[in-house]
Amino acid sequence: MKALIAGAGRLGTQIAQVLAAAHNDVTLIDLDDDRIAELDGRLPVRLVAGDACEPNILEHAGAHTTDLVIATTGNDEDNLVISLLAKRQFAVPRVAARVNDAENTWLFDQQWGVDTAVPAATPLISLIEEATGATDTVALLRLSKAGVDVIETAITPQSHAVGCTLAEITLPAGSVIATIIRTGQPTVPSPEMRLRPGDELLVVSHSATEQEIHAAFQ
């Protein structure tokens, strides 16, 4: 999944770290050149200096091909403008925005391009779950501190798993499919779900190698 985060404050930076840990393609934008310079080399994400309220900056950051935009600036007006541009001008499939002032919550709706409005007091993990729609993935990412790996694999037209249900796939011991990204949208997997070419899977495992996970699907 490609994610674009506007606002490199504490919240935006933490979201970028978690999404990047799940091997997502993450871009982080901030108006403050010094903040971008400070983060350079510290995060496994693409950094863009500029005003995310400007269409040309969003375009430069890859908004035309991104799957998810999260507006996390400390200014509600900016978050609304970013959301509206993302949805209306760049047709981003999923847009989430932080609500800093509770009195402005009523503005954060689909008329402003916001799919998910998240109050500022919402815990980080809950915010990412709401934004991505991938509750299981984010919850399982918490296990990474205990030596659990998140491994990504893709289904190609040549994969032997094409057309199989998840129940028919034999995974290495200690592994579980956390989410399936289909047409850019994270989906909570179910046993009867059939795999299609183009599906991207995030598999959580505490013992299997990347090669073993790939072999289960390819």
Side-chain angles (χ1 to χ4, degrees):
M1 178 177 66
K2 293 186 68 175
L4 193 160
I5 301 165
R10 180 186 60 82
L11 181 63
T13 301
Q14 288 178 333
I15 293 172
Q17 287 175 320
V18 173
L19 292 180
H23 306 291
N24 294 294
D25 183 349
V26 180
T27 298
L28 184 59
I29 308 175
D30 199 89
L31 183 61
D32 187 343
D33 292 350
D34 291 337
R35 176 60 174 164
I36 292 297
E38 178 187 345
L39 294 173
D40 189 25
R42 292 174 48 193
L43 294 176
V45 305
R46 180 188 177 206
L47 297 169
V48 174
D51 187 351
C53 292
E54 297 291 337
N56 63 316
I57 296 297
L58 287 175
E59 183 174 8
H60 172 65
H64 274 305
T65 58
T66 200
D67 305 304
L68 167 69
V69 164
I70 308 178
T72 67
T73 79
N75 184 292
D76 284 345
E77 290 80 3
D78 287 351
N79 288 342
L80 287 171
V81 170
I82 293 164
S83 298
L84 188 63
L85 286 172
K87 185 65 70 174
R88 300 289 174 82
Q89 185 158 338
F90 297 101
V92 176
R94 191 170 183 87
V95 178
R98 179 188 189 184
V99 184
N100 296 281
D101 185 341
E103 293 185 2
N104 294 330
T105 301
W106 65 277
L107 288 167
F108 285 72
D109 60 15
Q110 293 190 352
Q111 290 187 346
W112 276 94
V114 179
D115 296 309
T116 302
V118 187
T122 302
L124 172 67
I125 291 295
S126 298
L127 188 152
I128 299 173
E129 290 172 354
E130 287 288 333
T132 63
T135 304
D136 287 356
T137 300
V138 177
L140 287 166
L141 279 174
R142 295 170 177 165
L143 299 175
S144 62
K145 294 180 181 178
V148 174
D149 291 323
V150 180
I151 300 168
E152 183 176 6
T153 190
I155 304 299
T156 69
Q158 292 75 37
S159 299
H160 67 73
V162 169
C164 295
T165 65
L166 296 185
E168 294 171 329
I169 302 296
T170 301
L171 289 174
S175 304
V176 62
I177 300 172
T179 195
I180 296 176
I181 301 170
R182 177 171 288 173
T183 62
Q185 292 297 310
T187 303
V188 177
S190 60
E192 64 275 9
M193 189 174 186
R194 290 192 180 276
L195 293 171
R196 304 175 186 171
D199 285 348
E200 298 175 60
L201 293 84
L202 294 182
V203 180
V204 177
S205 180
H206 65 74
S207 57
T209 65
E210 188 170 345
Q211 290 73 22
E212 289 173 328
I213 295 298
H214 289 327
F217 297 95
Q218 307 305 327

